[in-house]
Amino acid sequence: MSVSPARRAAHTVVVRTLQSGAYADRALHSASQGLNARDRALAKRLAFGAVQRRGTLDWICDRFAKGKLDVPVRAALHLGLEQLLFLDGIADHAAIDESVELAKPSPGHRLVNAVLRRVQREGVELPADDTPAGAAIRHAHPEWLTELWWEWLGPDRTRALLAADNEPAELALRVNPLAGAVDLSDIPGTREGETIVVDGPFDLFAHPAYAAGAITPQSRAAQRVGRFTDPQPGERVLDLCAAPGGKTTHLAALMGGEGEIVAVERHEGRAEALGRTCERTHAAGMVRIVTADARSFRDEARFDRVLLDPPCSGLGTLQAHPDLRWRIQPDDLPRLAEDQDALLEAARANLRPGGTLVYAVCTLNPGEERLQSEDSWRTLPSEDRTDGFYAARAPV
């Protein structure tokens, strides 16, 4: 039996994430080369779902398949279980038969067949989500993270957040006025102000408005950060940790192209990509990119506004990054907070008297909310239908 190109690509992605810790989105980009749009979309749906639910799928595997499984066999079993239990619109026979083929030539393909057919007949009873341990398995999150949210947000809000993280991420676009008048009428979705929330199939990078710099993918929560910073035309603004440039170019648009933005990025490759983003979005004329460590960056002239969006755990973006929940470890959090404090010190040192500092992180972890202010906000995917963010604004 042949295997569809979409399932073959999805299997490659899952194998790479299990075997070498590859990033799911990068692995998908490589594995889906040459696929048509429909197959690419199915490959993404299958692969991201299996990676996202890894904890739940491993729990099921451990109960139906005793002993160690080779990675390609486990990946095939994950994909089959994901399709049988969690995806609508996929025929059981296709999910089972093609998963078995994906496990070949390993003898483990027989086990894949046996487990999937048993699950098809009997189903699976997952643990109740009335404890952090049960909720972690039922909703496919690490137990340490579930416990953190349980203590911070309470059981009901945590369960809602866990469930929301397993839903597809919303695709939001920011309309860029610096590009001038560009026809956006064929983009499916709803527009409110500078934001389009896409509803339906849409090939962003193939649309002429993207090449023209008229639209940029950016979550509604991330767009809120730029408006919260509230830069004014003619001001001098600093964007620390600026790549990949969504917020930098939003600041430029909000300033109407008038003023100066200094964008600091430590990594040379990311700084070059930031430069290309500024060129595409018609912001290059007012953005000066500095390749430097933001912790030691100092400008004697200082700035009217400083936006600090430091490296963080990203725990507010688990919808869009299916492997992130398994990649971040609890030991990472204190180190991130230490770096964030050092970056805050640099942000304050570069601010003019009476200037405004905005601190924003795309995470849901109280330990990374390093700037406390009465002028702050937080979003949750379960309550705001966008990325989880924390932002605070304070005059210094």
Side-chain angles (χ1 to χ4, degrees):
M1 178 183 176
S2 63
V3 177
S4 69
R7 286 188 175 87
R8 183 74 68 185
H11 184 252
T12 298
V13 173
V14 178
V15 167
R16 289 178 182 173
T17 59
L18 291 174
Q19 200 163 53
S20 59
Y23 288 90
D25 54 350
R26 298 177 188 175
L28 178 67
H29 178 75
S30 173
S32 62
Q33 294 294 317
L35 297 186
N36 61 40
R38 183 176 179 179
D39 282 342
R40 192 181 308 116
L42 178 57
K44 179 178 180 179
R45 184 184 178 202
L46 296 174
F48 278 26
V51 172
Q52 190 176 62
R53 295 188 186 273
R54 180 186 303 169
T56 303
L57 299 173
D58 276 339
W59 184 88
I60 297 170
C61 287
D62 290 345
R63 275 145 187 80
F64 285 89
K66 303 300 182 183
K68 185 177 180 180
L69 301 176
D70 292 340
V71 169
V73 172
R74 183 174 290 271
L77 189 50
H78 279 193
L79 282 167
L81 291 168
E82 169 71 11
Q83 293 171 79
L84 286 178
L85 297 173
F86 300 108
L87 295 185
D88 296 325
I90 293 180
D92 285 0
H93 69 85
I96 295 172
D97 293 346
E98 293 198 31
S99 296
V100 172
E101 289 299 312
L102 287 169
K104 292 179 179 179
S106 169
H109 76 272
R110 299 184 183 89
L111 181 144
V112 172
N113 183 62
V115 170
L116 293 180
R117 293 195 182 281
R118 182 179 171 188
V119 169
Q120 182 191 31
R121 291 192 310 270
E122 302 174 8
V124 175
E125 184 66 33
L126 296 174
D129 57 5
D130 53 358
T131 66
I137 294 170
R138 190 174 190 88
H139 299 289
H141 283 65
E143 188 171 344
W144 71 265
L145 178 57
T146 305
E147 289 175 345
L148 185 154
W149 287 346
W150 203 272
E151 178 68 23
W152 180 41
L153 300 172
D156 290 342
R157 296 180 81 195
T158 296
R159 282 188 285 263
L161 177 56
L162 297 172
D165 276 346
N166 293 327
E167 296 297 321
E170 173 187 88
L171 174 57
L173 309 177
R174 176 171 54 81
V175 178
N176 177 26
L178 297 180
V182 177
D183 184 15
L184 307 176
S185 61
D186 62 340
I187 299 178
T190 58
R191 178 170 177 176
E192 182 175 348
E194 63 183 346
T195 304
I196 299 174
V197 177
V198 176
D199 181 15
F202 179 63
D203 191 343
L204 169 64
F205 301 110
H207 197 281
Y210 178 81
I215 51 174
T216 292
Q218 189 174 36
S219 75
R220 289 182 295 116
Q223 293 184 42
R224 185 174 174 182
V225 172
R227 292 190 290 270
F228 189 59
T229 305
D230 194 29
Q232 301 300 307
E235 287 186 333
R236 194 163 192 258
V237 178
L238 174 63
D239 185 1
L240 285 173
C241 310
K247 297 182 185 68
T248 307
T249 55
H250 192 193
L251 296 176
L254 291 168
M255 296 167 71
E258 298 179 15
E260 180 188 17
I261 298 173
V262 175
V264 178
E265 173 53 46
R266 180 174 61 180
H267 299 283
E268 185 173 344
R270 285 168 60 83
E272 292 174 356
L274 171 59
R276 292 192 293 271
T277 297
C278 290
E279 289 284 353
R280 183 181 66 82
T281 57
H282 310 275
M286 64 178 298
V287 176
R288 177 165 64 90
I289 299 171
V290 177
T291 305
D293 188 331
R295 292 172 295 184
S296 58
F297 175 79
R298 298 293 186 273
D299 187 312
E300 293 183 359
R302 296 196 281 183
F303 298 86
D304 300 296
R305 296 174 197 269
V306 176
L307 170 60
L308 173 60
D309 180 9
C312 70
S313 58
L315 295 172
T317 66
L318 300 187
Q319 288 182 328
H321 301 100
D323 50 336
L324 182 58
R325 68 189 68 187
W326 313 116
R327 190 179 299 279
I328 292 292
Q329 299 299 315
D331 291 346
D332 295 331
L333 303 184
R335 174 186 53 80
L336 286 166
E338 183 177 343
D339 288 344
Q340 290 156 1
D341 286 343
L343 289 163
L344 265 173
E345 182 179 348
R348 291 187 177 100
N350 282 288
L351 199 63
R352 291 172 178 168
T356 299
L357 168 63
V358 170
Y359 174 88
V361 281
C362 58
T363 190
L364 295 172
N365 167 32
E368 294 177 78
E369 297 181 356
R370 307 307 296 174
L371 178 65
Q372 293 294 310
S373 168
E374 293 182 359
D375 191 5
S376 63
W377 51 267
R378 184 187 298 114
T379 55
L380 276 73
S382 50
E383 299 173 9
D384 302 285
R385 297 179 297 106
T386 186
D387 288 343
F389 255 85
Y390 170 81
R393 179 170 58 193
V396 178

Short mmCIF file of all heavy atoms in Angstrom, two decimals, residues 348-384:
data_model
loop_
_atom_site.label_atom_id
_atom_site.label_comp_id
_atom_site.label_asym_id
_atom_site.label_seq_id
_atom_site.Cartn_x
_atom_site.Cartn_y
_atom_site.Cartn_z
N ARG A 348 16.33 50.91 31.23
CA ARG A 348 16.20 52.12 32.08
C ARG A 348 17.36 53.08 31.84
O ARG A 348 17.18 54.30 31.81
CB ARG A 348 16.15 51.71 33.54
CG ARG A 348 14.87 50.97 33.95
CD ARG A 348 14.83 50.77 35.45
NE ARG A 348 13.60 50.14 35.89
CZ ARG A 348 13.48 48.85 36.19
NH1 ARG A 348 14.54 48.05 36.08
NH2 ARG A 348 12.32 48.35 36.58
N ALA A 349 18.56 52.53 31.64
CA ALA A 349 19.75 53.37 31.45
C ALA A 349 19.68 54.15 30.14
O ALA A 349 20.33 55.20 30.01
CB ALA A 349 21.00 52.51 31.47
N ASN A 350 18.91 53.68 29.17
CA ASN A 350 18.82 54.35 27.88
C ASN A 350 17.61 55.26 27.75
O ASN A 350 17.38 55.83 26.68
CB ASN A 350 18.76 53.30 26.77
CG ASN A 350 20.12 52.70 26.46
OD1 ASN A 350 20.98 53.35 25.87
ND2 ASN A 350 20.34 51.46 26.88
N LEU A 351 16.85 55.45 28.82
CA LEU A 351 15.63 56.25 28.76
C LEU A 351 15.88 57.66 29.26
O LEU A 351 16.53 57.89 30.27
CB LEU A 351 14.55 55.58 29.64
CG LEU A 351 13.11 55.97 29.37
CD1 LEU A 351 12.67 55.55 27.97
CD2 LEU A 351 12.21 55.29 30.41
N ARG A 352 15.36 58.62 28.53
CA ARG A 352 15.46 60.02 28.94
C ARG A 352 14.57 60.27 30.16
O ARG A 352 13.57 59.58 30.36
CB ARG A 352 15.02 60.94 27.80
CG ARG A 352 15.97 60.96 26.62
CD ARG A 352 15.39 61.73 25.45
NE ARG A 352 16.35 61.78 24.32
CZ ARG A 352 16.06 62.18 23.11
NH1 ARG A 352 14.81 62.56 22.82
NH2 ARG A 352 16.98 62.20 22.16
N PRO A 353 14.91 61.28 30.99
CA PRO A 353 14.02 61.62 32.11
C PRO A 353 12.61 61.92 31.60
O PRO A 353 12.43 62.65 30.62
CB PRO A 353 14.68 62.87 32.70
CG PRO A 353 16.12 62.76 32.32
CD PRO A 353 16.13 62.11 30.97
N GLY A 354 11.63 61.30 32.22
CA GLY A 354 10.25 61.49 31.80
C GLY A 354 9.82 60.61 30.65
O GLY A 354 8.68 60.68 30.20
N GLY A 355 10.73 59.77 30.17
CA GLY A 355 10.41 58.87 29.06
C GLY A 355 9.55 57.70 29.53
O GLY A 355 9.23 57.57 30.71
N THR A 356 9.19 56.86 28.58
CA THR A 356 8.29 55.75 28.87
C THR A 356 8.96 54.42 28.53
O THR A 356 9.51 54.25 27.44
CB THR A 356 6.99 55.87 28.04
OG1 THR A 356 6.33 57.09 28.41
CG2 THR A 356 6.06 54.70 28.32
N LEU A 357 8.89 53.49 29.46
CA LEU A 357 9.42 52.15 29.28
C LEU A 357 8.27 51.15 29.19
O LEU A 357 7.36 51.17 30.02
CB LEU A 357 10.32 51.78 30.48
CG LEU A 357 10.75 50.32 30.61
CD1 LEU A 357 11.61 49.90 29.42
CD2 LEU A 357 11.52 50.11 31.92
N VAL A 358 8.31 50.31 28.17
CA VAL A 358 7.33 49.24 28.02
C VAL A 358 8.08 47.91 28.02
O VAL A 358 9.04 47.72 27.28
CB VAL A 358 6.50 49.38 26.73
CG1 VAL A 358 5.66 48.13 26.48
CG2 VAL A 358 5.60 50.62 26.81
N TYR A 359 7.61 47.00 28.86
CA TYR A 359 8.17 45.65 28.99
C TYR A 359 7.09 44.67 28.56
O TYR A 359 5.96 44.74 29.04
CB TYR A 359 8.58 45.40 30.44
CG TYR A 359 9.05 44.00 30.74
CD1 TYR A 359 10.39 43.64 30.59
CD2 TYR A 359 8.16 43.04 31.22
CE1 TYR A 359 10.82 42.35 30.89
CE2 TYR A 359 8.58 41.75 31.52
CZ TYR A 359 9.91 41.41 31.36
OH TYR A 359 10.34 40.15 31.67
N ALA A 360 7.42 43.77 27.63
CA ALA A 360 6.42 42.83 27.12
C ALA A 360 7.05 41.47 26.91
O ALA A 360 8.16 41.36 26.37
CB ALA A 360 5.84 43.34 25.79
N VAL A 361 6.34 40.42 27.34
CA VAL A 361 6.79 39.05 27.14
C VAL A 361 5.62 38.19 26.68
O VAL A 361 4.51 38.32 27.17
CB VAL A 361 7.40 38.44 28.43
CG1 VAL A 361 8.82 38.92 28.65
CG2 VAL A 361 6.54 38.75 29.65
N CYS A 362 5.89 37.29 25.73
CA CYS A 362 4.84 36.42 25.21
C CYS A 362 4.83 35.12 26.00
O CYS A 362 4.94 34.03 25.45
CB CYS A 362 5.03 36.16 23.71
SG CYS A 362 6.63 35.42 23.29
N THR A 363 4.67 35.24 27.30
CA THR A 363 4.67 34.07 28.16
C THR A 363 3.57 34.18 29.20
O THR A 363 3.04 35.28 29.46
CB THR A 363 6.02 33.88 28.85
OG1 THR A 363 6.05 32.60 29.50
CG2 THR A 363 6.28 34.97 29.88
N LEU A 364 3.22 33.05 29.79
CA LEU A 364 2.27 33.00 30.89
C LEU A 364 2.98 32.34 32.07
O LEU A 364 2.84 31.16 32.35
CB LEU A 364 1.02 32.22 30.49
CG LEU A 364 0.20 32.88 29.38
CD1 LEU A 364 -0.93 31.96 28.90
CD2 LEU A 364 -0.37 34.22 29.84
N ASN A 365 3.79 33.13 32.71
CA ASN A 365 4.60 32.70 33.84
C ASN A 365 4.83 33.91 34.73
O ASN A 365 5.53 34.84 34.32
CB ASN A 365 5.94 32.12 33.36
CG ASN A 365 6.94 31.95 34.50
OD1 ASN A 365 6.55 31.68 35.64
ND2 ASN A 365 8.21 32.10 34.20
N PRO A 366 4.25 33.94 35.92
CA PRO A 366 4.38 35.15 36.76
C PRO A 366 5.82 35.49 37.10
O PRO A 366 6.15 36.66 37.34
CB PRO A 366 3.58 34.79 38.01
CG PRO A 366 3.49 33.30 38.01
CD PRO A 366 3.47 32.89 36.57
N GLY A 367 6.70 34.50 37.08
CA GLY A 367 8.10 34.77 37.39
C GLY A 367 8.82 35.57 36.32
O GLY A 367 9.92 36.07 36.57
N GLU A 368 8.24 35.70 35.14
CA GLU A 368 8.85 36.49 34.07
C GLU A 368 8.18 37.85 33.90
O GLU A 368 8.55 38.59 32.99
CB GLU A 368 8.83 35.71 32.76
CG GLU A 368 9.70 34.47 32.77
CD GLU A 368 9.61 33.69 31.49
OE1 GLU A 368 10.24 34.11 30.50
OE2 GLU A 368 8.90 32.66 31.46
N GLU A 369 7.27 38.19 34.76
CA GLU A 369 6.64 39.52 34.73
C GLU A 369 7.51 40.46 35.56
O GLU A 369 7.15 40.89 36.65
CB GLU A 369 5.21 39.43 35.25
CG GLU A 369 4.32 38.54 34.38
CD GLU A 369 2.88 38.44 34.87
OE1 GLU A 369 2.56 39.00 35.95
OE2 GLU A 369 2.06 37.79 34.18
N ARG A 370 8.68 40.80 34.99
CA ARG A 370 9.75 41.43 35.77
C ARG A 370 9.50 42.91 36.03
O ARG A 370 10.08 43.48 36.94
CB ARG A 370 11.10 41.24 35.09
CG ARG A 370 11.44 39.81 34.73
CD ARG A 370 11.34 38.88 35.91
NE ARG A 370 12.28 39.19 36.97
CZ ARG A 370 12.31 38.58 38.16
NH1 ARG A 370 11.38 37.67 38.45
NH2 ARG A 370 13.21 38.92 39.05
N LEU A 371 8.69 43.56 35.23
CA LEU A 371 8.33 44.96 35.48
C LEU A 371 6.90 44.99 35.98
O LEU A 371 5.97 44.62 35.26
CB LEU A 371 8.46 45.79 34.20
CG LEU A 371 8.06 47.27 34.33
CD1 LEU A 371 9.00 48.00 35.29
CD2 LEU A 371 8.05 47.96 32.97
N GLN A 372 6.72 45.42 37.20
CA GLN A 372 5.39 45.51 37.80
C GLN A 372 4.90 46.95 37.73
O GLN A 372 5.64 47.88 38.05
CB GLN A 372 5.42 45.02 39.24
CG GLN A 372 5.71 43.52 39.37
CD GLN A 372 4.59 42.67 38.79
OE1 GLN A 372 3.42 42.87 39.08
NE2 GLN A 372 4.96 41.71 37.94
N SER A 373 3.67 47.11 37.30
CA SER A 373 3.10 48.45 37.17
C SER A 373 1.59 48.34 37.23
O SER A 373 1.01 47.32 36.80
CB SER A 373 3.53 49.09 35.84
OG SER A 373 2.79 50.26 35.57
N GLU A 374 0.95 49.37 37.74
CA GLU A 374 -0.52 49.40 37.69
C GLU A 374 -1.01 49.53 36.25
O GLU A 374 -2.14 49.15 35.94
CB GLU A 374 -1.05 50.58 38.53
CG GLU A 374 -0.80 50.44 40.03
CD GLU A 374 -1.38 51.59 40.82
OE1 GLU A 374 -1.95 52.51 40.19
OE2 GLU A 374 -1.26 51.59 42.06
N ASP A 375 -0.15 50.05 35.38
CA ASP A 375 -0.49 50.20 33.96
C ASP A 375 0.02 48.96 33.22
O ASP A 375 1.10 48.98 32.62
CB ASP A 375 0.15 51.47 33.42
CG ASP A 375 -0.37 51.85 32.04
OD1 ASP A 375 -1.30 51.17 31.55
OD2 ASP A 375 0.16 52.82 31.45
N SER A 376 -0.74 47.88 33.29
CA SER A 376 -0.29 46.62 32.70
C SER A 376 -1.50 45.82 32.23
O SER A 376 -2.64 46.13 32.59
CB SER A 376 0.51 45.79 33.72
OG SER A 376 -0.30 45.45 34.83
N TRP A 377 -1.25 44.79 31.43
CA TRP A 377 -2.33 43.92 30.96
C TRP A 377 -1.76 42.54 30.65
O TRP A 377 -0.56 42.36 30.50
CB TRP A 377 -3.04 44.49 29.74
CG TRP A 377 -2.17 44.92 28.59
CD1 TRP A 377 -1.67 46.18 28.36
CD2 TRP A 377 -1.67 44.10 27.52
NE1 TRP A 377 -0.91 46.18 27.22
CE2 TRP A 377 -0.89 44.94 26.68
CE3 TRP A 377 -1.81 42.75 27.18
CZ2 TRP A 377 -0.26 44.46 25.54
CZ3 TRP A 377 -1.19 42.27 26.05
CH2 TRP A 377 -0.42 43.13 25.23
N ARG A 378 -2.67 41.59 30.58
CA ARG A 378 -2.30 40.21 30.29
C ARG A 378 -3.38 39.61 29.40
O ARG A 378 -4.57 39.87 29.58
CB ARG A 378 -2.17 39.40 31.58
CG ARG A 378 -1.70 37.97 31.38
CD ARG A 378 -1.74 37.18 32.68
NE ARG A 378 -0.86 37.73 33.68
CZ ARG A 378 -1.27 38.27 34.82
NH1 ARG A 378 -2.57 38.34 35.08
NH2 ARG A 378 -0.41 38.75 35.68
N THR A 379 -2.98 38.80 28.43
CA THR A 379 -3.93 38.07 27.59
C THR A 379 -3.71 36.58 27.77
O THR A 379 -2.58 36.12 28.00
CB THR A 379 -3.79 38.43 26.11
OG1 THR A 379 -2.43 38.21 25.70
CG2 THR A 379 -4.17 39.88 25.86
N LEU A 380 -4.79 35.81 27.64
CA LEU A 380 -4.74 34.35 27.68
C LEU A 380 -5.44 33.81 26.43
O LEU A 380 -6.51 34.32 26.07
CB LEU A 380 -5.43 33.79 28.93
CG LEU A 380 -4.63 33.70 30.23
CD1 LEU A 380 -4.44 35.09 30.82
CD2 LEU A 380 -5.34 32.80 31.24
N PRO A 381 -4.88 32.80 25.78
CA PRO A 381 -5.56 32.23 24.61
C PRO A 381 -6.98 31.77 24.90
O PRO A 381 -7.86 31.89 24.04
CB PRO A 381 -4.66 31.03 24.25
CG PRO A 381 -3.31 31.40 24.77
CD PRO A 381 -3.56 32.18 26.02
N SER A 382 -7.23 31.28 26.10
CA SER A 382 -8.54 30.76 26.46
C SER A 382 -9.57 31.86 26.68
O SER A 382 -10.78 31.60 26.60
CB SER A 382 -8.43 29.92 27.73
OG SER A 382 -7.72 30.62 28.74
N GLU A 383 -9.12 33.08 26.93
CA GLU A 383 -10.04 34.17 27.25
C GLU A 383 -10.03 35.28 26.20
O GLU A 383 -11.02 36.01 26.05
CB GLU A 383 -9.70 34.74 28.62
CG GLU A 383 -9.84 33.71 29.74
CD GLU A 383 -9.35 34.19 31.09
OE1 GLU A 383 -9.06 35.39 31.23
OE2 GLU A 383 -9.27 33.36 32.02
N ASP A 384 -8.93 35.40 25.48
CA ASP A 384 -8.79 36.51 24.53
C ASP A 384 -8.60 36.04 23.08
O ASP A 384 -8.49 36.87 22.19
CB ASP A 384 -7.61 37.39 24.94
CG ASP A 384 -7.76 37.93 26.34
OD1 ASP A 384 -8.58 38.86 26.54
OD2 ASP A 384 -7.09 37.42 27.26
#
